[in-house]
Amino acid sequence: MFFREDLFSDVKMTYEGSLVHAETSAFQDLKIYDTARFGKVLVLDGVVQTTQKDEFIYHEMLTHPFMLSHPKPEAALVIGAGDGGVLRELLKYRSLKKVVLVEIDGAVIDVAKKHLRSICQDAFSDKRVELLIEDGAKYVRQTQQLFDLVIVDSTDPVGPAQVLFSRAFYADIYRILRKDGIMVRQTGSSFLQPLEIRDSFRILTDVFSEVLPMVAAIPTYVGGFFNFLVSAKGRTPLDVAFPTLNKRYDALRLQTKYYNPEMHFACFALPNYIKEVLE
Ligand code: SAM
């Protein structure tokens, strides 16, 4: 059978695959399809979230540029990310003492553990992980904990994720970041959702002193480069010398399949059409 991803009213993607799980949680419609091309695919409210075959790109790029360039990252906060991929990559760092993961929908974690083990592996049971099933916006508003890195790996700005694109949310994150802290978030497809990065960029440059766009090519996030915005209180991921980064990369034996020290710098080089959206 073929299933259709209704990305937009005028752009849809179809994939051949069989439905292996379907449920409606308190927050969204969850489906898992098993496909020859991409392995198992997690679909939330009709939108492809992650696939077993290409998830490594997104989860490596949402983690390593910030962890490897930080001298000693000890505490990280992850918002969303119920598939466990970001958590798996974060836990490769021995310096990390604590990761708080705040996912609003526990059903996503249950489905990941059952059907997407190649993505989450044993990340959710690592003793450094504190798992909270609640709204990420509420958590950042109330927590007194401080973090070196905040990763916002949410769905697009609709439904429960809408609050994760607000100025108040970013101001709360600014408050809970340590001096050299960094926040990174996905901001959609450069070609099909240009306003998502433009709007987020405008709000973030109001709150943070440094906001750097970053790109990666992710096959199942269609529409050209996939965009990320990196917000820093001071030090940015580019404030590290290549030899230092290389040494750390080799020492950690990260075994990444997309990220590497060369890509660390290349992913911040933008094509003009993205620069123009931000001007
Ligand atoms: N990798 C995917 C992407 O790039 O779009 C998203 C990963 S993950 C599946 C997105 C998660 O964000 C979902 O599990 C969803 O439940 C969660 N989420 C949405 N709104 C949230 C909120 N307000 N607080 C915490 N988690 C939220």
Side-chain angles (χ1 to χ4, degrees), residues 142-174:
Q142 295 174 344
T143 187
Q144 295 309 312
Q145 295 220 20
L146 294 179
F147 298 94
D148 300 301
L149 174 60
V150 176
I151 298 175
V152 183
D153 178 16
S154 74
T155 37
D156 285 335
V158 287
Q162 220 158 356
V163 287
L164 306 181
F165 289 76
S166 71
R167 195 187 187 295
F169 174 66
Y170 295 138
D172 284 327
I173 290 179
Y174 187 91

Side-chain angles (χ1 to χ4, degrees), residues 28 42 44 49 58-59 79-83 102-105 108 134-136 153-155 160-161 163-164 186 221 226:
Q28 52 211 336
L42 171 65
L44 296 180
Q49 298 296 309
Y58 177 79
H59 294 129
I79 294 179
D83 49 61
V102 186
E103 163 58 66
I104 202 165
D105 189 352
V108 176
E134 66 176 273
D135 175 4
D153 178 16
S154 74
T155 37
V163 287
L164 306 181
Q186 64 94 353
Y221 295 170
F226 198 72

Side-chain angles (χ1 to χ4, degrees), residues 89-150:
E89 292 303 309
L90 277 174
L91 293 169
K92 290 178 177 174
Y93 290 81
R94 292 185 288 276
S95 68
L96 203 62
K97 294 200 177 83
K98 171 117 184 150
V99 190
V100 177
L101 186 136
V102 186
E103 163 58 66
I104 202 165
D105 189 352
V108 176
I109 295 172
D110 295 341
V111 156
K113 284 179 182 171
K114 189 161 174 239
H115 293 287
L116 301 173
R117 206 72 193 185
S118 68
I119 297 181
C120 62
Q121 297 173 10
D122 295 329
F124 289 116
S125 49
D126 188 295
K127 58 183 185 337
R128 294 172 287 175
V129 176
E130 181 185 353
L131 197 47
L132 300 173
I133 306 301
E134 66 176 273
D135 175 4
K138 182 167 156 270
Y139 176 81
V140 297
R141 202 166 44 245
Q142 295 174 344
T143 187
Q144 295 309 312
Q145 295 220 20
L146 294 179
F147 298 94
D148 300 301
L149 174 60
V150 176

Side-chain angles (χ1 to χ4, degrees), residues 200-218:
S200 293
F201 187 74
R202 281 190 184 152
I203 300 172
L204 285 166
T205 42
D206 239 11
V207 178
F208 287 85
S209 53
E210 297 282 341
V211 180
L212 298 178
M214 188 184 97
V215 294
I218 303 170

